[in-house]
Each structure stands twice: as C-alpha cells, then as structure tokens.
C-alpha cells in the first residue's frame, strides 16, 4: 500500500495531478446541476407557479 | 454519467494499479491517464464547438448554437487539466514546469481561444449575436488544431512524440494502452453527459417564454 502511495518517489507529482483533475471534474459536473435547479426555480417563480 | 463513473473506475484501476511502471519514467508516467485523454478531449470538444458553431452560423440552428455554448467551459477545463498535469509531469521528467515549446504553446493558445469564446458569450446582451461572434472566433481558431496535433512532428519539441496515433503500431504496451483507451472513453461520455445537462438549462433559459416551458414547469411544480 505504501508503495502505491509513494509511486516510486513520484507520489507527490502523480497525486497532485490526480487531485487537481478530480477537483476540476467535480466542479464541472456539479455546477450545471446547480444552475439547472436555479433556472427551473426562477422560471417557476416568474410564471407565478411558486 | 453512471457509464462514465464505471469507465473511470476501471480505467483508473488499470492505470494506477495494474499497468507496470515505465522503464524510463518510473511511476511518474501514470499521469498519462489523465493528461492524454484531457488533451485529446480538448481538441475533440473544440472541433464539436467550432463545427456546431459553424452550423449555427450558416443555418441559424438554435440547438447548434447551444451545443457550442455548452461545450466551451468543458473544453476549457480539459485544456486546463492537460496544461496543469503536463506541467506537473514535466517537472520531474524535464526538470521544468514549463517551456515555450510548440506543443505547450499551441495548447496554451487553445485555452485562450476557449476563454475568448466564453468571454464573447457574455459580452452580448443578445444570445444570437453572441453565438454568431463566438462561432466566427471558433472557426478562425480551428487553424490551431492541426498545429497542436502535428507540433511534435513538425518541430523539435521537448514534448515527446506520439505513441498512440502513429500510422504503424503504437509504441506503447497493451497493459498501458488499454487503461488509456478506457479513460478516453470515460472522458468522452463524461463530456456528453455534462454538455447535455448544460444544454438543458440553456434551452430553458432560451425558451423561457415558450408555452411548452410553462407546461413543463407547471407539471413539475404540481408533482412536488
């Protein structure tokens, strides 16, 4: 397990790259979902449905 | 999205656990599994964006404009990931985070093209005008795509040459190649899923005054 984390001494490079990747991917996925909710909410309000 | 999650899991397991270390680069090569698919996708998404932008420009198809507009932020993030992971990979391998070599510079220009497109989208009140301006920028910027792709062959770059898309057989072992291909599939399906979610909100905002939107929202709020 330790060997896996160390990545032959390149651990900090490999894992920081993967961490940045993961953060960007999650933001990209979550942001449109929040926006959709907001849009639906705003439009419903405007139409007097809420 | 479920499909991309499964593909990501399989691809990451294959790439981080199963694949052997590279004989020259040791374990640092494992960055390839996010770096290369991001870079491929940065080009692919740009092509989608420019072509659908072009379709919108010529035939005034709203949906094509929406696809272009929805693709831009995703493409920009893939470009960003490719550049950043490349820098993190370059540090231990080349001894530097950044060099002004042809591949790196042209990819940086791609990021600026994406950012320019996004800026244009919010620069105009009228969405149709914004879509037209963006499409023109995207189509002009298309010239950069072959430059990125062939940069490692046309110029002597610090960036390594192609290992997968060569005409003869790829110079990468199967145990390393298969996770890479799975990751690329995962990236592709992720892109389409996020892009379609973005398109949905765009369409709702575009058509805010249409009758079907009213009906849809009425049934939606009634069911809650």
């Amino acid at each position: 397990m330790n060997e896996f984390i160390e990545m032959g001494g390149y651990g900090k490079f490999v894992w920081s790259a993967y961490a940045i990747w993961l953060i960007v991917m999650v933001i990209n996925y979550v942001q449109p979902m929040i926006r959709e909710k907001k849009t639906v909410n705003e439009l419903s309000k405007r139409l007097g449905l809420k | 999205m479920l499909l991309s999650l499964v593909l990501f899991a399989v691809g990451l397991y294959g790439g981080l656990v199963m694949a052997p270390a590279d004989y020259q680069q040791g374990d640092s090569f494992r960055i390839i599994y996010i770096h290369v698919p991001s870079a491929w996708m940065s080009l692919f998404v740009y092509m989608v964006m420019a072509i659908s932008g072009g379709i919108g420009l010529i035939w005034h198809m709203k949906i094509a404009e929406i696809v272009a507009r929805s693709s831009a932020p995703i493409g920009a993030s893939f470009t960003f990931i490719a550049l950043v992971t490349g820098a993190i990979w370059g540090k231990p391998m080349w001894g530097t985070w950044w060099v002004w070599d042809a591949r790196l510079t042209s990819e940086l220009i791609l990021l600026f093209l994406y950012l320019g497109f996004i800026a244009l989208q919010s620069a105009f009140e009228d969405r149709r005008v914004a879509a037209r301006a963006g499409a023109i920028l995207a189509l002009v910027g298309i010239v950069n795509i072959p430059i990125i792709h062939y940069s490692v062959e046309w110029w002597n770059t610090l960036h390594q040459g192609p290992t997968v898309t060569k005409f003869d057989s790829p110079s990468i072992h199967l145990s390393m190649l298969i996770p890479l291909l799975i990751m690329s599939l995962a990236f592709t399906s992720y892109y389409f899923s996020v892009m379609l979610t973005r398109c949905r909100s765009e369409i709702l905002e575009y058509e805010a005054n249409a009758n079907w939107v009213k009906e849809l929202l009425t049934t939606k709020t009634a069911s809650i």
Side-chain angles (χ1 to χ4, degrees), chain B residues 65 69 72 116-124 127 130-135:
Chain B
E65 293 170 3
R69 194 183 164 101
F117 183 94
I118 295 168
L120 275 179
Q121 295 305 304
S122 44
F124 295 95
R127 281 170 188 243
R132 247 176 290 154

Side-chain angles (χ1 to χ4, degrees), chain B residues 11-29:
Chain B
L12 286 175
Y13 182 74
L16 291 171
V17 183
M18 300 286 281
D22 186 70
Y23 81 105
Q24 274 184 333
Q25 304 197 351
D27 281 312
S28 75
F29 97 98

Side-chain angles (χ1 to χ4, degrees), chain B residues 117-159:
Chain B
F117 183 94
I118 295 168
L120 275 179
Q121 295 305 304
S122 44
F124 295 95
E125 279 286 311
D126 184 345
R127 281 170 188 243
R128 313 280 330 235
V129 179
R132 247 176 290 154
I136 291 167
L137 173 73
L139 286 171
V140 172
I142 238 177
V143 71
N144 194 29
I145 300 296
I147 296 179
I148 297 175
H149 185 78
Y150 292 110
S151 57
V152 286
E153 289 172 15
W154 292 344
W155 294 286
N156 275 318
T157 54
L158 193 52
H159 193 284

Side-chain angles (χ1 to χ4, degrees), chain B:
Chain B
M1 196 61 207
L2 193 67
L3 175 71
S4 0
L5 279 180
V6 173
L7 286 169
F8 274 130
V10 176
L12 286 175
Y13 182 74
L16 291 171
V17 183
M18 300 286 281
D22 186 70
Y23 81 105
Q24 274 184 333
Q25 304 197 351
D27 281 312
S28 75
F29 97 98
R30 293 184 198 283
I31 295 175
I32 201 176
Y33 295 110
I34 45 177
H35 175 72
V36 167
S38 307
W40 281 343
M41 288 308 288
S42 71
L43 303 184
F44 174 74
V45 174
Y46 193 88
M47 292 305 289
V48 173
M49 189 178 94
I51 290 170
S52 56
I55 292 173
L57 197 61
I58 297 167
W59 289 293
H60 300 288
M61 268 174 67
K62 258 191 209 169
I63 191 71
E65 293 170 3
I66 290 174
V67 167
R69 194 183 164 101
S70 304
S71 296
I74 317 171
S77 2
F78 285 144
T79 315
F80 174 77
I81 294 172
L83 286 168
V84 170
T85 56
I88 296 172
W89 194 0
K91 186 62 188 166
M93 287 302 111
W94 304 338
T96 175
W97 299 103
W98 184 264
V99 279
W100 292 102
D101 107 355
R103 175 53 76 75
L104 278 66
T105 309
S106 52
E107 183 78 10
L108 183 67
I109 292 171
L110 184 72
L111 180 64
F112 292 147
L113 283 169
Y114 274 122
L115 296 181
F117 183 94
I118 295 168
L120 275 179
Q121 295 305 304
S122 44
F124 295 95
E125 279 286 311
D126 184 345
R127 281 170 188 243
R128 313 280 330 235
V129 179
R132 247 176 290 154
I136 291 167
L137 173 73
L139 286 171
V140 172
I142 238 177
V143 71
N144 194 29
I145 300 296
I147 296 179
I148 297 175
H149 185 78
Y150 292 110
S151 57
V152 286
E153 289 172 15
W154 292 344
W155 294 286
N156 275 318
T157 54
L158 193 52
H159 193 284
Q160 65 192 57
T163 38
V164 180
T165 54
K166 290 199 301 198
F167 286 116
D168 44 1
S169 59
S171 55
I172 173 172
H173 192 264
L174 267 185
S175 60
M176 294 177 172
L177 178 63
I178 289 171
L180 185 60
L181 296 179
I182 295 175
M183 284 301 277
S184 309
L185 282 178
F187 269 77
T188 314
S189 100
Y190 170 92
Y191 158 61
F192 280 107
S193 132
V194 173
M195 189 258 280
L196 290 175
T197 317
R198 281 188 169 281
C199 284
R200 270 208 309 261
S201 332
E202 286 279 346
I203 293 171
L204 278 179
E205 284 166 26
Y206 241 117
E207 305 281 335
N209 298 317
N211 267 330
W212 67 263
V213 172
K214 201 171 180 178
E215 278 162 30
L216 179 82
L217 291 176
T218 315
T219 46
K220 230 181 181 169
T221 33
S223 63
I224 296 170

